[in-house]
Amino acid sequence: MAMEVTQILLNAQAVDGALRKQAEENLKQFQEQNLPSFLYSLAGELANDEKPAESRKLAGLILKNALDAKEQHRKIELVQRWLSLDPTLKAQIKALLLRTLSSPSVDARSTVSQVIAKVAGIELPHKQWPELIGSLLSNVHQLPAPTRQATLETLGYICEEVSPDVVDQDHVNKILTAVVQGMNSTEENNDVRLAAVRALYNALGFAQANFSNDMERDYIMRIVCETTLSPDVKIRRAAFECLVAISSTYYEKLAPYIQDIFNITAKAVKEDEEQVALQAIEFWSSICDEEIDILEEYGGDFSADSDIPCFYFIKQALSFLVPMLLETLLKQDEDQDQDEGAWNIAMAGGTCLGLVARTVGDDIVPLVMPFIQENISKPDWRQREAATYAFGSILEGPSPEKLEPLVTMALNFMLTALMKDPSNHVKDTTAWTLGRMFEFLHGTALDTPIITPANCQQIVTVLIQSMKDVPNVAEKACGALYFLAQGYEDAGSASSPLTPYFQDIVQALLTVTHREDAVESRLRTAAYEALNEVVRCSNDETAPMVVQLAPLIMLELHNTLENQKVSSDERQNELQGLLCGCLQVIIQKLGSSEPTKYHFMQYADQIMALFLKVFASRSATAHEEAMLAIGALAYATGPDFAKYMTEFYKYLEMGLQNFEDYQVCAITVGVVGDVCRALEEKILPYCDGIMTQLLKDLSSNQLHRSVKPPIFSCFGDIALAIGENFEKYLLYAMPMLQSAAELSAHTSGADDDMTEYTNSLRNGILEAYSGIFQGFKGSPKTQLLMPYAPHVLQFLDSLYMEKDMDDVVTKTAIGVLGDLADTLGSSAGPLIQQSVSSKDFLKECLSSDDHLIKESAEWAKLAISRAISF
């Protein structure tokens, strides 16, 4: 077989389909029948310089895919499979791989460096292949340039694959030394230098100790800064990418270098090629992100406990930074307003200016206003657009007091520009800026409203007119209307100035959705989003018009389902999703008050029939939206929803089995909760099926982890709905909850993502317990829960001891303590008295600043005192 492997690999890339299929079959058989020999042949193929480039490249790719996979469960299988291979064979394969680093073929070197990193990713954490780093480092010093380049690339990939704790500090020091030497200007070969800079980028996470040592840090920073001046544009760009990474990883170590970095970045922004200038701007955007996070987290209060003080780099550089950014705004591309994915120096500069405004607030306004005043009326469209973009960019961050007078003054000017400016680009940015004005400076909470009954008509007229403009301008006008409507969300039943124009606005938006050219851009989506917001924020006066809108949208949905029979395409699916989303908002709006609900019920049967037809289509997006809309319908119809269950149940089951589109699965789990709340005990006939599927989901290793927390809280919804009938599921559900609770109680050393996930898992588990205790309350069967009480209390105690709950979990946890005491009463009294939660945790929650936590704690205190006093 090994003899033919070259030919099979070439055939697997043949133009002839039959030949290709046969070769893929052969490879599959070879792999299944004799994996060790298969992997060895691939490594041999990759290492053999006499073989054709195509077969070597594919051999490397198959080898790489035999070691790693995107799906977690598959990855674990592949790791186990490699670890269980014969050590002698693995040693032979690894020797072939290392030899390939010296191959004259660029492709072979580049492929093998990725394969070596994948093997290292498996072996280093298991304390295997300890000599790897040493042998790579010996390559870096004396060999010919191509091998040095491939070796540096490999070191970079290894740093990307493994976590810092599996490489000892001595090796880290040597890797950094080799990498920084490779970056040095004395290195004559540009490919080696570039590989070294990229390797440093990947190795930054390993350099904690080195960045804490002044001399080492100074040396690394000096080399990185020097490298930004390399004659090679790729190397300059990579060096700036390193600076960006350093700015977020080692923000607190930057103070001594910030002046030099400002000079380097300013020069690059002014004079260098765009790809380099973009990274130079990105450095300052990244510093803004760091400072915004610090200021938000500490609320500007840096007492002794703050371990990351803010250095106010942006504030200090403000008077130099803002003029530099304003200058970039004048470097627009001719047609960037037409291109959805456009990214250039003007857009990067505007984005950074927006972040600067969020970082420093009011201080930015006097630095930007003169630029706006000078350019807003200039004959050259570039100047008018830049001035408008600058204004729109600084509307988030500064205080309303500072901005309101300016916005009030500018509003009229902007409305006129949106109607009359000859440049589409200026109109596009003007509509976007109006949207930002409405988003940040318009709402019932502000003292002096910028929108009054006096100017409301003009605003609506201009926006409606603007929706007839070219697609990109019309799309931004829809966005502005979205925020205009949102500002009246909290007006309650008070009359909104938009009420008189409600019908015109809805009509105009529906017209936009039918534009021939609405499909090409995001215009159709933007129009539906605006329509949904206008409906969502409307008041009782306009309710009759919302009732009339329902059959119109239903007809549209009906038409897309009819069209689908003729031809199915992506756009039909997207439209179905948008229409289901719109119906969901209409259902929520009309279902929320009795008089409108009564009128709306006449359509409920037809709407449900349409939603069920959507499930016949093959689109995950449409399925998600239909599922959410059905959840809203269940909530609105209450117990009457039972009549749809026989028909709907099979789709509910399909959604719960949908592991591939896990978002559909997660939403379906949520809808089970909605249906439980609507039907209460009427859900009982379907519970066996639902519980079986939920338990299957939990024990599957293929389902995305984010679906597991909602499944647990769904147990709680079911228990609340069916009460003591949940008895037969206790044997299955409780052990699952117990093992998940143990896993989620201890999380030391987890990263932010993991901590966030753990907290959502804890919350799901607690919601399940809460629903189960409340469901059994007052039933003769409450004693069935007694055996589980010690574990639940122990879980609450361990959460309290761990000290890393977020507020949501704290509130749910103290609530569960109350539910347990309330349902089990005196029989659980002694257990409760022994728990830490009933003393210290309760005491802490009673004095919490968060009124929801406090409220929950008051209730728990009451329930506990009743349980103990008996």
Side-chain angles (χ1 to χ4, degrees), residues 35 47 88 110 126 130 154 246 273 278 283 320 338 344 348 422 442 506 508 540 583 595 599 635 665 757 780 835 853:
L35 181 73
T88 321
S110 155
H126 289 88
T154 308
I246 290 169
E273 290 184 39
L278 284 172
F283 173 84
F320 306 104
Q338 302 292 325
N344 55 39
H442 152 57
V506 169
D540 300 347
L583 284 169
H599 286 295
Y635 185 77
C665 186
Y757 172 70
S835 72
I853 293 178

mmCIF file of all heavy atoms in Angstrom, residues 35 47 88 110 126 130 154 246 273 278 283 320 338 344 348 422 442 506 508 540 583 595 599 635 665 757 780 835 853:
data_model
loop_
_atom_site.group_PDB
_atom_site.id
_atom_site.type_symbol
_atom_site.label_atom_id
_atom_site.label_comp_id
_atom_site.label_asym_id
_atom_site.label_seq_id
_atom_site.Cartn_x
_atom_site.Cartn_y
_atom_site.Cartn_z
ATOM 1 N N LEU A 35 -3.898 1.858 10.855
ATOM 2 C CA LEU A 35 -3.635 3.277 11.164
ATOM 3 C C LEU A 35 -2.140 3.569 11.336
ATOM 4 O O LEU A 35 -1.630 4.524 10.733
ATOM 5 C CB LEU A 35 -4.419 3.705 12.413
ATOM 6 C CG LEU A 35 -4.206 5.178 12.788
ATOM 7 C CD1 LEU A 35 -4.925 6.106 11.817
ATOM 8 C CD2 LEU A 35 -4.647 5.463 14.208
ATOM 9 N N ALA A 47 8.049 13.811 3.985
ATOM 10 C CA ALA A 47 9.487 14.024 4.200
ATOM 11 C C ALA A 47 10.315 13.782 2.936
ATOM 12 O O ALA A 47 11.481 14.169 2.865
ATOM 13 C CB ALA A 47 9.983 13.102 5.314
ATOM 14 N N THR A 88 7.656 3.366 19.549
ATOM 15 C CA THR A 88 8.732 3.298 18.541
ATOM 16 C C THR A 88 8.256 3.905 17.222
ATOM 17 O O THR A 88 8.972 4.674 16.571
ATOM 18 C CB THR A 88 9.136 1.821 18.303
ATOM 19 O OG1 THR A 88 9.109 1.148 19.554
ATOM 20 C CG2 THR A 88 10.504 1.718 17.669
ATOM 21 N N SER A 110 6.312 24.494 5.373
ATOM 22 C CA SER A 110 5.208 25.212 6.009
ATOM 23 C C SER A 110 4.166 24.228 6.550
ATOM 24 O O SER A 110 3.615 24.414 7.632
ATOM 25 C CB SER A 110 4.599 26.175 4.987
ATOM 26 O OG SER A 110 3.283 26.428 5.316
ATOM 27 N N HIS A 126 1.245 15.859 28.140
ATOM 28 C CA HIS A 126 1.374 14.539 28.765
ATOM 29 C C HIS A 126 2.834 14.225 29.097
ATOM 30 O O HIS A 126 3.209 13.063 29.233
ATOM 31 C CB HIS A 126 0.798 13.454 27.857
ATOM 32 C CG HIS A 126 -0.698 13.501 27.762
ATOM 33 N ND1 HIS A 126 -1.364 14.274 26.827
ATOM 34 C CD2 HIS A 126 -1.663 12.897 28.516
ATOM 35 C CE1 HIS A 126 -2.675 14.128 27.010
ATOM 36 N NE2 HIS A 126 -2.884 13.314 28.013
ATOM 37 N N PRO A 130 9.972 15.428 25.443
ATOM 38 C CA PRO A 130 10.631 16.524 26.177
ATOM 39 C C PRO A 130 11.787 17.130 25.388
ATOM 40 O O PRO A 130 12.157 18.280 25.611
ATOM 41 C CB PRO A 130 11.140 15.847 27.453
ATOM 42 C CG PRO A 130 11.206 14.392 27.112
ATOM 43 C CD PRO A 130 10.119 14.131 26.108
ATOM 44 N N THR A 154 7.543 26.945 13.407
ATOM 45 C CA THR A 154 7.083 25.819 14.229
ATOM 46 C C THR A 154 6.983 26.226 15.698
ATOM 47 O O THR A 154 5.996 25.928 16.376
ATOM 48 C CB THR A 154 8.069 24.631 14.109
ATOM 49 O OG1 THR A 154 8.272 24.358 12.722
ATOM 50 C CG2 THR A 154 7.513 23.395 14.783
ATOM 51 N N ILE A 246 0.705 43.273 22.639
ATOM 52 C CA ILE A 246 1.356 43.672 23.901
ATOM 53 C C ILE A 246 0.465 44.677 24.643
ATOM 54 O O ILE A 246 0.333 44.636 25.866
ATOM 55 C CB ILE A 246 2.754 44.270 23.624
ATOM 56 C CG1 ILE A 246 3.704 43.158 23.162
ATOM 57 C CG2 ILE A 246 3.321 44.958 24.873
ATOM 58 C CD1 ILE A 246 5.037 43.642 22.602
ATOM 59 N N GLU A 273 2.281 52.406 4.331
ATOM 60 C CA GLU A 273 1.225 51.778 3.541
ATOM 61 C C GLU A 273 0.035 51.465 4.437
ATOM 62 O O GLU A 273 0.175 51.254 5.640
ATOM 63 C CB GLU A 273 1.756 50.482 2.911
ATOM 64 C CG GLU A 273 2.770 50.754 1.820
ATOM 65 C CD GLU A 273 3.224 49.470 1.137
ATOM 66 O OE1 GLU A 273 2.385 48.574 0.925
ATOM 67 O OE2 GLU A 273 4.425 49.370 0.832
ATOM 68 N N LEU A 278 -3.054 50.777 9.415
ATOM 69 C CA LEU A 278 -4.238 50.232 10.106
ATOM 70 C C LEU A 278 -3.847 49.600 11.438
ATOM 71 O O LEU A 278 -4.545 49.774 12.443
ATOM 72 C CB LEU A 278 -4.928 49.174 9.227
ATOM 73 C CG LEU A 278 -5.756 49.711 8.058
ATOM 74 C CD1 LEU A 278 -6.219 48.567 7.154
ATOM 75 C CD2 LEU A 278 -6.965 50.503 8.548
ATOM 76 N N PHE A 283 -3.424 49.891 17.535
ATOM 77 C CA PHE A 283 -2.747 49.954 18.831
ATOM 78 C C PHE A 283 -3.514 50.886 19.776
ATOM 79 O O PHE A 283 -3.789 50.547 20.930
ATOM 80 C CB PHE A 283 -1.297 50.453 18.667
ATOM 81 C CG PHE A 283 -0.608 50.696 19.985
ATOM 82 C CD1 PHE A 283 -0.006 49.655 20.672
ATOM 83 C CD2 PHE A 283 -0.593 51.966 20.581
ATOM 84 C CE1 PHE A 283 0.601 49.862 21.921
ATOM 85 C CE2 PHE A 283 0.010 52.184 21.816
ATOM 86 C CZ PHE A 283 0.601 51.124 22.485
ATOM 87 N N PHE A 320 -2.509 65.179 20.936
ATOM 88 C CA PHE A 320 -1.762 64.745 19.743
ATOM 89 C C PHE A 320 -2.548 63.688 18.969
ATOM 90 O O PHE A 320 -2.531 63.646 17.750
ATOM 91 C CB PHE A 320 -0.410 64.144 20.150
ATOM 92 C CG PHE A 320 0.410 65.072 21.006
ATOM 93 C CD1 PHE A 320 0.520 64.870 22.371
ATOM 94 C CD2 PHE A 320 1.050 66.181 20.433
ATOM 95 C CE1 PHE A 320 1.250 65.743 23.161
ATOM 96 C CE2 PHE A 320 1.788 67.049 21.225
ATOM 97 C CZ PHE A 320 1.897 66.837 22.589
ATOM 98 N N GLN A 338 -20.639 51.887 -0.559
ATOM 99 C CA GLN A 338 -21.376 50.831 -1.263
ATOM 100 C C GLN A 338 -20.937 49.446 -0.792
ATOM 101 O O GLN A 338 -21.608 48.464 -1.041
ATOM 102 C CB GLN A 338 -21.086 50.913 -2.784
ATOM 103 C CG GLN A 338 -21.426 52.232 -3.429
ATOM 104 C CD GLN A 338 -22.923 52.486 -3.463
ATOM 105 O OE1 GLN A 338 -23.718 51.564 -3.620
ATOM 106 N NE2 GLN A 338 -23.312 53.742 -3.282
ATOM 107 N N ASN A 344 -10.898 50.589 5.884
ATOM 108 C CA ASN A 344 -9.739 51.342 5.404
ATOM 109 C C ASN A 344 -9.323 52.308 6.489
ATOM 110 O O ASN A 344 -9.889 52.326 7.585
ATOM 111 C CB ASN A 344 -10.089 52.074 4.105
ATOM 112 C CG ASN A 344 -11.309 52.965 4.294
ATOM 113 O OD1 ASN A 344 -11.470 53.609 5.329
ATOM 114 N ND2 ASN A 344 -12.192 52.999 3.316
ATOM 115 N N ALA A 348 -11.026 53.063 10.142
ATOM 116 C CA ALA A 348 -10.289 52.694 11.358
ATOM 117 C C ALA A 348 -10.103 53.921 12.242
ATOM 118 O O ALA A 348 -10.246 53.863 13.470
ATOM 119 C CB ALA A 348 -8.936 52.093 10.984
ATOM 120 N N PRO A 422 -25.399 66.487 -2.562
ATOM 121 C CA PRO A 422 -25.255 65.771 -3.841
ATOM 122 C C PRO A 422 -24.498 64.442 -3.712
ATOM 123 O O PRO A 422 -24.587 63.601 -4.596
ATOM 124 C CB PRO A 422 -24.465 66.754 -4.715
ATOM 125 C CG PRO A 422 -23.822 67.720 -3.762
ATOM 126 C CD PRO A 422 -24.702 67.794 -2.564
ATOM 127 N N HIS A 442 -31.548 60.679 22.922
ATOM 128 C CA HIS A 442 -32.987 60.839 22.763
ATOM 129 C C HIS A 442 -33.640 59.760 23.604
ATOM 130 O O HIS A 442 -33.282 58.598 23.516
ATOM 131 C CB HIS A 442 -33.321 60.697 21.274
ATOM 132 C CG HIS A 442 -34.697 60.176 20.979
ATOM 133 N ND1 HIS A 442 -35.827 60.780 21.444
ATOM 134 C CD2 HIS A 442 -35.105 59.095 20.262
ATOM 135 C CE1 HIS A 442 -36.889 60.092 21.009
ATOM 136 N NE2 HIS A 442 -36.474 59.068 20.293
ATOM 137 N N VAL A 506 -45.225 52.846 9.102
ATOM 138 C CA VAL A 506 -45.366 51.411 8.826
ATOM 139 C C VAL A 506 -45.494 51.183 7.317
ATOM 140 O O VAL A 506 -44.846 50.306 6.741
ATOM 141 C CB VAL A 506 -46.580 50.833 9.579
ATOM 142 C CG1 VAL A 506 -46.908 49.423 9.112
ATOM 143 C CG2 VAL A 506 -46.293 50.830 11.087
ATOM 144 N N ALA A 508 -44.407 53.084 4.895
ATOM 145 C CA ALA A 508 -43.127 53.357 4.234
ATOM 146 C C ALA A 508 -42.168 52.179 4.410
ATOM 147 O O ALA A 508 -41.476 51.777 3.465
ATOM 148 C CB ALA A 508 -42.504 54.629 4.804
ATOM 149 N N ASP A 540 -51.065 52.259 23.288
ATOM 150 C CA ASP A 540 -52.440 51.771 23.115
ATOM 151 C C ASP A 540 -53.167 52.455 21.959
ATOM 152 O O ASP A 540 -53.995 51.845 21.293
ATOM 153 C CB ASP A 540 -53.239 51.990 24.414
ATOM 154 C CG ASP A 540 -52.594 51.230 25.559
ATOM 155 O OD1 ASP A 540 -51.727 50.381 25.262
ATOM 156 O OD2 ASP A 540 -52.927 51.484 26.734
ATOM 157 N N LEU A 583 -43.752 38.737 13.208
ATOM 158 C CA LEU A 583 -44.980 38.224 13.835
ATOM 159 C C LEU A 583 -44.785 38.013 15.333
ATOM 160 O O LEU A 583 -45.690 38.235 16.122
ATOM 161 C CB LEU A 583 -45.410 36.913 13.158
ATOM 162 C CG LEU A 583 -46.063 37.119 11.779
ATOM 163 C CD1 LEU A 583 -46.222 35.792 11.045
ATOM 164 C CD2 LEU A 583 -47.426 37.823 11.907
ATOM 165 N N PRO A 595 -57.655 43.893 25.912
ATOM 166 C CA PRO A 595 -58.490 44.292 24.773
ATOM 167 C C PRO A 595 -57.882 43.888 23.421
ATOM 168 O O PRO A 595 -58.577 43.356 22.557
ATOM 169 C CB PRO A 595 -58.549 45.822 24.884
ATOM 170 C CG PRO A 595 -57.975 46.184 26.198
ATOM 171 C CD PRO A 595 -57.249 45.028 26.745
ATOM 172 N N HIS A 599 -58.846 40.824 20.152
ATOM 173 C CA HIS A 599 -58.926 41.020 18.693
ATOM 174 C C HIS A 599 -57.954 40.116 17.958
ATOM 175 O O HIS A 599 -58.210 39.664 16.851
ATOM 176 C CB HIS A 599 -58.596 42.472 18.336
ATOM 177 C CG HIS A 599 -59.701 43.409 18.681
ATOM 178 N ND1 HIS A 599 -60.927 43.349 18.058
ATOM 179 C CD2 HIS A 599 -59.785 44.382 19.607
ATOM 180 C CE1 HIS A 599 -61.727 44.274 18.580
ATOM 181 N NE2 HIS A 599 -61.054 44.917 19.529
ATOM 182 N N TYR A 635 -47.174 31.892 25.150
ATOM 183 C CA TYR A 635 -47.291 32.795 26.281
ATOM 184 C C TYR A 635 -48.588 33.607 26.179
ATOM 185 O O TYR A 635 -49.291 33.820 27.168
ATOM 186 C CB TYR A 635 -46.072 33.723 26.295
ATOM 187 C CG TYR A 635 -46.012 34.623 27.488
ATOM 188 C CD1 TYR A 635 -45.608 34.141 28.736
ATOM 189 C CD2 TYR A 635 -46.387 35.969 27.386
ATOM 190 C CE1 TYR A 635 -45.571 34.967 29.845
ATOM 191 C CE2 TYR A 635 -46.353 36.800 28.494
ATOM 192 C CZ TYR A 635 -45.951 36.295 29.718
ATOM 193 O OH TYR A 635 -45.917 37.107 30.815
ATOM 194 N N CYS A 665 -31.513 24.129 18.942
ATOM 195 C CA CYS A 665 -31.769 23.261 20.093
ATOM 196 C C CYS A 665 -31.972 24.109 21.358
ATOM 197 O O CYS A 665 -32.916 23.906 22.122
ATOM 198 C CB CYS A 665 -30.590 22.309 20.262
ATOM 199 S SG CYS A 665 -30.856 21.078 21.530
ATOM 200 N N TYR A 757 -19.301 30.755 31.771
ATOM 201 C CA TYR A 757 -20.072 29.544 31.469
ATOM 202 C C TYR A 757 -20.466 28.838 32.773
ATOM 203 O O TYR A 757 -21.608 28.425 32.958
ATOM 204 C CB TYR A 757 -19.276 28.586 30.578
ATOM 205 C CG TYR A 757 -19.976 27.254 30.411
ATOM 206 C CD1 TYR A 757 -21.155 27.172 29.667
ATOM 207 C CD2 TYR A 757 -19.509 26.110 31.045
ATOM 208 C CE1 TYR A 757 -21.835 25.980 29.543
ATOM 209 C CE2 TYR A 757 -20.192 24.906 30.932
ATOM 210 C CZ TYR A 757 -21.350 24.842 30.181
ATOM 211 O OH TYR A 757 -22.033 23.661 30.076
ATOM 212 N N PRO A 780 -48.600 16.011 49.270
ATOM 213 C CA PRO A 780 -48.284 14.971 50.268
ATOM 214 C C PRO A 780 -46.942 14.306 49.988
ATOM 215 O O PRO A 780 -46.395 13.606 50.832
ATOM 216 C CB PRO A 780 -49.428 13.957 50.107
ATOM 217 C CG PRO A 780 -50.201 14.357 48.900
ATOM 218 C CD PRO A 780 -49.846 15.749 48.539
ATOM 219 N N SER A 835 -26.138 24.444 58.034
ATOM 220 C CA SER A 835 -25.483 24.929 56.805
ATOM 221 C C SER A 835 -24.932 26.344 56.990
ATOM 222 O O SER A 835 -25.493 27.146 57.733
ATOM 223 C CB SER A 835 -26.476 24.925 55.649
ATOM 224 O OG SER A 835 -27.410 25.964 55.841
ATOM 225 N N ILE A 853 -31.400 40.857 45.150
ATOM 226 C CA ILE A 853 -30.777 39.875 46.048
ATOM 227 C C ILE A 853 -31.356 40.045 47.450
ATOM 228 O O ILE A 853 -31.712 39.090 48.138
ATOM 229 C CB ILE A 853 -29.233 40.051 46.063
ATOM 230 C CG1 ILE A 853 -28.656 39.694 44.698
ATOM 231 C CG2 ILE A 853 -28.598 39.223 47.170
ATOM 232 C CD1 ILE A 853 -27.155 39.865 44.567
#
